[in-house]
Structures are given as structure tokens and as C-alpha cells.
């Protein structure tokens, strides 16, 4: 059984995730010929990777793997990135603006 599929963590509803979202995944990515939602958001809002890494508390290396669709982010990462993108863009960002959470 996939432990990540059953992982649920309490994340504030303001992040924009449904109450019981499994450890979320990014579908596609640059390896499939198109940027991830996170990568596209960062580019369109002029957010630099280092600024997002600092604001979220995650390393640039891990952020790069997620941005390029090479690794699946967990709920805590998604919550931190959504919060950081809200602060950096001064916009009401939702998790689904940045990640393909599947089925939504």
C-alpha cells in the first residue's frame, strides 16, 4: 500500500486544499514538455527561486525538483509554498493555482 496516498495532515483551510487531500502530486512537468503550474506562476509573477526558497523555508534544491516536476511535494511543502507565493505576489493564491492536485 502506498503510504503517501493515505497521508493526511491538518493544514489550514486558507491554503486552499480540500480537507482530506492525499500527499499531493504534480502531473507533468518540464520533462513532459511543459512547465509545472508552480514554474509558470513563478515566471509570470517574477518570483525568483531563491526568494521563494527563503520565504517558504525549503531548500533551493528541493524547490527545483518540485518546480521541474521531478518529485512529488507533500502537504507541508504545498502549504509553505502557497503561503510564500501569497506573500511574494500579494495575491490570493490557492494550492490549485500552483499544483495539479488531481480530480479538482
Amino acid at each position: 500500500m502506498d503510504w503517501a496516498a493515505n497521508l493526511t495532515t491538518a493544514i489550514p483551510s486558507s491554503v486552499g486544499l480540500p480537507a482530506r487531500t492525499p500527499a499531493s502530486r504534480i502531473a507533468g512537468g518540464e520533462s513532459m514538455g511543459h512547465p509545472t503550474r508552480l514554474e509558470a506562476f513563478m515566471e509570470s509573477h517574477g518570483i525568483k527561486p531563491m526568494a521563494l526558497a527563503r520565504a517558504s523555508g525549503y531548500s533551493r534544491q528541493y524547490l527545483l525538483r518540485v518546480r521541474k516536476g521531478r518529485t512529488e511535494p507533500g502537504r507541508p511543502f504545498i502549504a509553505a509554498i502557497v503561503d510564500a507565493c501569497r506573500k511574494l505576489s500579494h495575491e490570493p493564491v490557492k494550492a490549485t493555482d500552483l499544483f495539479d492536485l488531481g480530480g479538482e
Side-chain angles (χ1 to χ4, degrees), residues 29-41:
E30 288 194 352
S31 63
M32 298 190 69
H34 52 86
T36 61
R37 290 182 187 185
L38 176 58
E39 185 77 6
F41 181 88

Side-chain angles (χ1 to χ4, degrees), residues 2 6 68:
D2 181 15
N6 294 321
K68 301 300 182 181

Side-chain angles (χ1 to χ4, degrees), residues 70-81:
R70 296 182 191 138
T71 193
E72 296 179 4
R75 291 173 59 94
F77 176 85
I78 291 172
I81 294 297

